[in-house]
Amino acid sequence: MERRRVKIATFNINGIRPRLDALLKWLERESPDIVCLQELKATDAQFPADAIANAGYGALWHGQQSWNGVAILAKDAEPVLSRRGLPGYEDDTHSRYIEAAVGGLLIGCLYLPNGNPQPGPKFDYKLAWFERFNAHAKALLDSGHPVVLAGDYNVVPTDEDIYNTRSWLKDALLQPESRAAYADLLAQGWTDALRKTFPDERIYTFWDYFRNHWQTNSGLRIDHLLLSKDLAKKLEGAGVDKWVRGEPHASDHAPTWVTLKLGRTRKKAGAA
DNA sequence: ATGCCTAACTAAGTTAGA
């Protein structure tokens, strides 16, 4: 059977308006097929739909004033909306989840709450959001659809996913509760594609703006792509486009991606 | 224990990020 390769990326852009040029440059250079964006920091009306369309991408977005905001982009295709927001969380005022079908895949794009400072109401919100997300992830997995859950999870899964834990021990990203929620999610049967591809390497996706952390490669791995069971078998490669983080006025995150080998054609039921 | 750096909102200073 003929195969097609699909590249799926997640990128916390930290403001789509000040970094639109950086986004377009990255799209042009790396040509991802499907993109999950987080931290748009823009209302729906402020989303640069024309520029993204001119770059050859269809898009769906879920914005809000000043903070949060997520979007799904598809090259030469229009993503088909599955949902905005998590089910049963209609009172959530934050725009943190959008889901769409693209090219036979179901793509969930998430921006999980940061949760700092902890303990406190923001950490409580993070854990509550995580619980609702995991419940939805379980339903997606049980549905049997090919699913990718990509985004900024705001969790450093293990001590192997950070340059040094010393100054982060009290941070919400490393708390046992945050890590347990992520471990529970993986235990449903999802594959963490970056860790699967690089089982023994330090891989980072975020370098904060402080203390020359980029220049000293003092990073964290918090942007994750999770694959449903059938898709995990089709995982071909993964990586981080670190050059984007080195650009002037860059986001503090770098685009993180996987490539999947998918069948071009699906056998019809009853076909030989 | 806090600031470091960056952006939004708005017009100097706070809030949020992670």
Side-chain angles (χ1 to χ4, degrees):
Chain A
M1 179 165 47
E2 206 174 351
R3 309 294 255 181
R4 64 185 167 114
R5 176 186 290 116
V6 177
K7 179 175 179 176
I8 305 164
T10 180
F11 182 21
N12 181 322
I13 196 168
N14 189 17
I16 196 167
R17 287 174 289 162
R19 277 183 259 283
L20 178 59
D21 289 346
L23 173 64
L24 296 175
K25 182 176 180 180
W26 170 66
L27 292 175
E28 170 76 23
R29 188 157 151 186
E30 303 293 346
S31 198
D33 298 291
I34 302 171
V35 178
C36 295
L37 296 176
Q38 303 87 33
E39 281 209 84
L40 303 177
K41 295 185 175 177
T43 63
D44 284 341
Q46 291 168 329
F47 186 83
D50 290 346
I52 287 170
N54 289 337
Y57 285 81
L60 293 169
W61 56 95
H62 182 30
Q64 75 176 78
Q65 178 84 10
S66 300
W67 309 116
N68 309 314
V70 286
I72 296 175
L73 278 49
K75 187 171 63 176
D76 300 325
E78 293 299 332
V80 178
L81 183 69
S82 169
R83 62 170 61 252
R84 284 189 177 89
L86 289 174
Y89 213 168
E90 284 73 23
D91 59 339
D92 188 4
T93 56
H94 297 201
S95 297
R96 296 184 176 275
Y97 188 73
I98 189 168
E99 185 183 287
V102 183
L105 303 176
L106 192 60
I107 307 295
C109 171
L110 68 143
Y111 175 46
L112 210 134
N114 170 292
N116 282 308
Q118 76 78 33
K122 292 191 176 181
F123 191 61
D124 295 341
Y125 173 65
K126 175 183 193 146
L127 296 180
W129 204 97
F130 220 143
E131 193 171 330
R132 286 177 185 270
F133 177 72
N134 282 5
H136 182 54
K138 179 71 162 56
L140 290 177
L141 200 63
D142 290 346
S143 76
H145 289 104
V147 183
V148 181
L149 297 177
D152 178 355
Y153 283 72
N154 268 316
V155 175
V156 175
T158 75
D159 288 353
E160 311 305 310
D161 299 301
I162 183 169
Y163 65 102
N164 187 326
T165 61
R166 204 170 68 109
S167 58
W168 297 85
L169 288 174
K170 291 187 174 179
D171 195 281
L173 278 62
L174 277 74
Q175 291 316 296
E177 297 94 329
S178 308
R179 289 178 161 181
Y182 188 74
D184 287 348
L185 177 60
L186 292 185
Q188 292 176 4
W190 300 93
T191 293
D192 180 333
L194 269 288
R195 188 43 81 207
K196 175 77 173 178
T197 304
F198 304 103
D200 301 314
E201 290 181 43
R202 298 268 171 167
I203 305 290
Y204 306 135
T205 67
F206 164 84
W207 299 257
D208 73 28
Y209 292 122
F210 304 153
R211 296 165 293 220
N212 289 318
H213 274 168
W214 166 247
Q215 290 79 356
T216 58
N217 193 30
S218 302
L220 286 64
R221 191 174 75 93
I222 57 177
D223 300 278
H224 307 304
L225 296 112
L226 270 50
L227 308 178
S228 59
K229 294 171 186 174
D230 50 337
L231 281 186
K233 297 172 191 162
K234 298 171 180 177
L235 174 61
E236 181 189 59
V240 180
D241 290 331
K242 287 180 68 173
W243 67 267
V244 176
R245 182 61 180 85
E247 294 278 283
H249 309 294
S251 168
D252 38 9
H253 296 249
T256 305
W257 52 267
V258 299
T259 53
L260 306 176
K261 269 188 177 176
L262 302 177
R264 177 178 291 276
T265 54
R266 180 177 293 191
K267 276 186 184 175
K268 286 178 182 172

